[in-house]
Amino acid sequence: MTQNYIIKMAFRNISRNRRRTLLSIVAIGMAVFFTCFMKSYITGLWSNVKGNTFIFETGHIKVLNRDYLKEEKLMPLDLNIDGYGKDYTEVIGLIKNVKGVKQIFPRTRFGAIINRENGMKNVMGFAFAPALEKPVNSLEAKIVEGRMFREYSPGQHEMVMGRAMAAELGVKTGDKITLMTKTAEEGLGHMTFRITGLSSYGVAVIDKSFFFISLSTAARFLKMENSVMELVIFLDDDTKSRAVTAEINRILNSRPGNPYQAYSWEEQGNGQYYEMFVKMSGIYNVIFVIFLVLASLVIVNTVMMVIYERMKEIGTIAAMGMRGSAIVRLFFFEAVIVSIISSFSGTVLGGIVSYIASRLGINVGKLTGGGMSIRFSEIIYPYIGWDLLLFSFVFGVVVASVCSYIPALRAARIEPVEALKGVY
Amino acid sequence: MATVVCRNIVKNYRIGADIVRALKDVNVSFEQGEFSAIVGPSGSGKSTLLNIIGCLDKPDQGEVKINNIIIKDQTKKALADIRRDHIGFVFQTFNLIPVLTAFENVNFVLSLKNSGSAAENRGITMKMLEEVGLKGLEHRKPLELSGGQQQRVAIARALVKEPALVLADEPTANLDSRTGESIMELMMKLNLNKRTTFIFSTHDKMVMEYARRTIDLHDGMITNDQRKKP
Ligand SMILES: Nc1ncnc2c1ncn2[C@@H]1O[C@H](COP(=O)(O)OP(=O)(O)O)[C@@H](O)[C@H]1O
Ligand SMILES: [Mg+2]
């Protein structure tokens, strides 16, 4: 029965000093709002960078010729994957049924040079099987002008080029362009391509320096029939990459004299990608802690203020024989109601803003300057989901409640005589 | 049987280096049903004594017994329970809970005891409010009541739980003299009807007239203790 009065009093006390209640709601609500939106934005950014890195760099797992990494900087095309006597599909056949493996993409990435009047430009060739990669990486969907390249046939050497690169080179769809490269046979190769289309991934590095060709075209250009540079593996679940990598390596190494090895995305590039992801979550945690501290200060202060203001009432109800624990509950309950209202408002607002941003996207192209080695897309789509909203709401309520419990405990420790005097 | 026994009560306050001796060896007892006034000038120790009797404060020395319970070495929780079960308070500044109605201010005290059904407690509360002359005003909040009406609510709140003892520290000091008199009359009536022990403090001549026992307090010492002849 006392509980009924505690609830009744808590609710009425909230509307007692409306301006202050509103102030706490705004303060806590803002903290929750920013927490929600920041998390939405960073999650979106994170999954964007992660996605781009997975698609263009690491896959979830990558199979390479073990010796390739030793000379990676030189991009030695002779250290490739050509199977165990026949061709690279032998390796795919070996590992495609490993549990957790969803897709395996044969790819060859290579360096090439374009000769221009004012010097040479280094570009990056990306040879792949578009039909196979379509569900994960659809170049076709990124073509903004012209059409896809076709497979190699004599006299038909086609490429799709990043739009920013075309602009820099001053070429357009339909133009021909000659590229030079070092072949797998260590000789110098050159080929003239027709540009059939321009692509835009919205990722500065890709759009400025990548061109795309078919694997069959690359085989001719690079003189590496039957072989590719890498097998990029996508899994059902990217967090399982280490375990699946171990299994793949076990299978590969069961072939005597096997020269291939699988690398999980975490261990690729000496762990730099993994480190980058960890760092990015770290940035979020810092922002998160700042809001946490700010919100906590507001809450502790407000509850303290409320307690000082009602000192005489605390004395009175203590004189009536209300126990300390019930007095704590009275203030705690009031603070919890306020934090539920605040967190709810903050979450709703954060949810709406994040939702809109997740639809429209946020253009960060100017922020990143385009020169970043990190593969930000120019437009980031913040993440929105029930888990995010639930997290923000629960976060707000828990933090606010914990922060109000501490000063509420103080209310119970005050001696009734002191409290009755109204000053403490 | 004495409701309250105070034996050798000493209370000192320390203000910086100074020690204020608020009560110096006070010995006094109150029998059940007594209607007593503690009288003395401001600063003589009236509030200090009432707070100690009311288990709101602890003496530095001496012993207090309420209804034969020794108020010493009791935990905070036990003291709260003693106040809840045995002592009603009436304050100079009324001290009603502003967010609760007159009815709720009184009913709240019963809810603390967790005895009786909600319906029973409602009945008791309404009857008590009627006894103090507030029928029809039970839904008003304290701010919608006059000072005299607020003090009536406070008296109802103190008495509704049928305590052994009601302590009233200068209950009329914030009221005009006519309202003060009606409050004193109300307390006297309730004292007669319920045989509740009343102790109030005052420095007002008019209020003293109502007391059947007057205890003079000067500089923390009882200088005179006199019962009116019936
Ligand atoms: N909390 C306190 N701290 C210091 N001195 C106090 C405190 N409470 C009361 N006193 C002092 O004790 C003496 C008695 O005070 P009090 O009991 O309030 O007297 P009365 O109620 O008769 O006016 C006064 O000198 C007062 O200044
Ligand atoms: Mg006083």
Side-chain angles (χ1 to χ4, degrees):
Chain A
M1 275 202 302
T2 311
Q3 190 61 30
N4 290 347
Y5 268 99
I6 287 177
I7 293 167
K8 198 182 277 185
M9 284 161 78
F11 267 107
R12 292 191 197 164
N13 278 333
I14 288 169
S15 52
R16 213 163 140 183
N17 188 334
R18 298 220 167 133
R19 193 184 298 180
R20 201 206 19 241
T21 303
L22 199 68
L23 197 77
S24 348
I25 290 178
V26 168
I28 300 168
M30 284 299 268
V32 172
F33 165 75
F34 279 115
T35 305
C36 178
F37 183 66
M38 283 314 293
K39 196 168 173 67
S40 161
Y41 174 70
I42 304 243
T43 308
L45 185 69
W46 203 82
S47 68
N48 176 270
V49 173
K50 210 169 173 176
N52 289 340
T53 304
F54 285 163
I55 289 172
F56 293 107
E57 288 289 342
T58 63
H60 294 150
I61 299 172
K62 198 148 94 175
V63 175
L64 293 170
N65 188 314
R66 200 179 284 139
D67 295 327
Y68 175 81
L69 287 179
K70 291 181 197 153
E71 299 169 47
E72 197 180 6
K73 283 217 164 62
L74 303 170
M75 297 187 112
L77 295 180
D78 53 324
L79 300 174
N80 54 31
I81 299 172
D82 56 1
Y84 303 96
K86 212 174 129 244
D87 63 22
Y88 67 85
T89 56
E90 285 177 293
V91 184
I92 294 179
L94 264 186
I95 57 179
K96 71 174 178 214
N97 291 325
V98 171
K99 200 164 161 277
V101 171
K102 200 158 110 189
Q103 277 154 315
I104 305 175
F105 302 148
R107 282 181 185 174
T108 295
R109 289 186 305 161
F110 60 97
I113 292 164
I114 297 172
N115 249 323
R116 294 183 296 171
E117 286 127 39
N118 52 351
M120 296 193 291
K121 180 176 167 58
N122 285 303
V123 291
M124 187 66 119
F126 192 98
F128 70 115
L132 192 63
E133 297 208 10
K134 202 168 180 179
V136 174
N137 167 33
S138 171
L139 175 62
E140 214 168 343
K142 305 289 181 187
I143 289 183
V144 289
E145 199 186 305
R147 59 163 176 84
M148 262 310 267
F149 57 74
R150 294 197 198 107
E151 293 291 322
Y152 173 84
S153 72
Q156 174 175 291
H157 317 147
E158 296 185 347
M159 72 149 71
V160 168
M161 181 186 278
R163 181 166 56 178
M165 181 168 143
E168 194 191 332
L169 294 171
V171 294
K172 54 188 192 302
T173 308
D175 284 358
K176 285 186 168 180
I177 190 165
T178 302
L179 270 65
M180 285 193 300
T181 190
K182 196 179 77 180
T183 67
E185 292 162 359
E186 297 278 311
L188 203 63
H190 58 85
M191 192 176 258
T192 300
F193 296 86
R194 182 177 297 280
I195 302 166
T196 63
L198 302 182
S199 64
S200 171
Y201 274 92
V203 181
V205 198
I206 311 286
D207 293 341
K208 271 191 182 156
S209 53
F210 272 50
F211 68 93
F212 304 89
I213 58 176
S214 70
L215 281 171
S216 55
T217 309
R220 281 307 166 99
F221 186 24
L222 305 170
K223 298 194 177 16
M224 42 189 289
E225 297 291 340
N226 307 328
S227 59
V228 293
M229 290 313 297
E230 57 195 37
L231 298 176
V232 172
I233 301 170
F234 282 85
L235 305 176
D236 298 318
D237 176 0
D238 66 70
T239 61
K240 300 259 158 47
S241 55
R242 289 174 207 258
V244 179
T245 301
E247 176 59 13
I248 290 173
N249 281 328
R250 195 188 60 76
I251 293 170
L252 292 176
N253 289 325
S254 66
R255 295 285 304 222
N258 164 61
Y260 311 122
Q261 185 160 351
Y263 303 90
S264 68
W265 67 267
E266 289 97 330
E267 62 189 315
Q268 287 178 43
N270 290 324
Q272 60 162 318
Y273 303 110
Y274 184 68
E275 215 168 82
M276 176 174 82
F277 296 161
V278 170
K279 225 177 264 170
M280 283 186 69
S281 357
I283 293 170
Y284 175 68
N285 286 338
V286 169
I287 296 169
F288 188 71
V289 165
I290 291 170
F291 283 117
L292 190 80
V293 169
L294 277 179
S296 308
L297 282 177
V298 171
I299 297 160
V300 170
N301 259 302
T302 321
V303 178
M304 284 308 265
M305 213 150 75
V306 168
I307 288 171
Y308 280 106
E309 234 167 65
R310 308 217 189 112
M311 200 51 91
K312 207 168 93 178
E313 273 164 58
I314 296 174
T316 306
I317 54 179
M320 303 292 112
M322 194 183 222
R323 287 183 186 171
S325 57
I327 296 174
V328 173
R329 259 185 288 148
L330 178 62
F331 285 96
F332 181 61
F333 207 84
E334 182 180 337
V336 168
I337 297 167
V338 171
S339 46
I340 287 174
I341 296 171
S342 319
S343 299
F344 187 77
S345 326
T347 304
V348 167
L349 199 66
I352 291 172
V353 172
S354 303
Y355 176 77
I356 293 170
S358 77
R359 295 283 126 158
L360 301 180
I362 298 174
N363 195 325
V364 296
K366 294 200 176 61
L367 294 177
T368 55
M372 303 278 289
S373 61
I374 296 178
R375 309 209 143 165
F376 283 109
S377 292
E378 272 164 31
I379 296 176
I380 297 295
Y381 294 92
Y383 169 81
I384 183 81
W386 290 111
D387 53 346
L388 170 79
L389 299 181
L390 188 72
F391 170 85
S392 309
F393 178 71
V394 171
F395 160 79
V397 173
V398 169
V399 170
S401 301
V402 170
C403 290
S404 51
Y405 194 68
I406 297 154
L409 273 180
R410 263 186 82 114
R413 271 203 294 272
I414 301 163
E415 289 297 329
V417 241
E418 303 294 330
L420 275 169
K421 285 185 186 128
V423 284
Y424 185 66
Chain B
M1 185 193 81
T3 313
V4 179
V5 179
C6 295
R7 212 174 285 150
N8 307 109
I9 302 295
V10 173
K11 180 78 183 178
N12 299 322
Y13 290 109
R14 200 178 296 273
I15 304 172
D18 295 335
I19 290 178
V20 178
R21 299 173 67 195
L23 295 174
K24 308 164 183 166
D25 194 30
V26 169
N27 285 282
V28 65
S29 297
F30 299 90
E31 301 298 322
Q32 199 203 330
E34 270 196 310
F35 198 67
S36 319
I38 297 171
V39 176
S42 181
S44 56
K46 305 182 295 292
S47 296
T48 305
L49 182 57
L50 285 180
N51 287 338
I52 287 171
I53 295 171
C55 306
L56 293 170
D57 205 355
K58 285 178 178 161
D60 295 329
Q61 283 170 43
E63 191 181 84
V64 179
K65 269 202 284 189
I66 313 250
N67 267 1
N68 267 341
I69 306 165
I70 298 170
I71 313 302
K72 208 181 189 181
D73 311 321
Q74 299 274 11
T75 62
K76 245 188 130 168
K77 198 158 97 180
L79 287 174
D81 291 353
I82 292 166
R83 289 194 298 270
R84 179 192 66 196
D85 296 336
H86 303 286
I87 307 168
F89 290 90
V90 175
F91 303 96
Q92 181 181 333
T93 49
F94 325 135
N95 290 23
L96 298 178
I97 307 300
V99 295
L100 298 181
T101 63
F103 174 87
E104 289 164 341
N105 262 286
V106 178
N107 191 248
F108 164 65
V109 171
L110 286 180
S111 83
L112 287 177
K113 286 189 93 160
N114 268 329
S115 67
S117 72
E120 271 169 9
N121 285 347
R122 267 199 300 278
I124 296 169
T125 304
M126 286 308 286
K127 200 164 150 267
M128 193 67 231
L129 282 165
E130 210 178 316
E131 268 184 275
V132 298
L134 288 178
K135 201 174 176 205
L137 299 180
E138 55 270 10
H139 294 301
R140 294 217 187 156
K141 295 265 176 74
L143 279 176
E144 300 158 354
L145 295 168
S146 70
Q149 288 167 333
Q150 286 190 51
Q151 198 60 308
R152 281 167 191 270
V153 177
I155 290 168
R157 177 176 70 177
L159 280 153
V160 74
K161 59 188 180 183
E162 304 195 326
L165 173 67
V166 169
L167 299 171
D169 194 358
E170 310 210 27
T172 61
N174 274 22
L175 299 170
D176 63 66
S177 57
R178 268 195 45 205
T179 315
E181 272 179 66
S182 72
I183 289 293
M184 287 316 297
E185 264 153 31
L186 173 65
M187 289 208 290
M188 213 166 72
K189 182 188 94 183
L190 292 167
N191 164 259
L192 288 173
N193 290 351
K194 298 180 190 285
R195 293 205 26 83
T196 311
T197 311
F198 272 77
I199 309 172
F200 51 91
S201 73
T202 189
H203 54 255
D204 183 338
K205 267 261 154 18
M206 178 276 292
V207 175
M208 287 173 224
E209 299 291 308
Y210 285 91
R212 280 193 302 284
R213 179 183 174 191
T214 309
I215 296 154
D216 290 322
L217 200 60
H218 269 273
D219 281 339
M221 281 187 296
I222 293 176
T223 51
N224 192 24
D225 186 347
Q226 204 167 19
R227 284 183 170 86
K228 259 189 205 162
K229 284 165 197 98

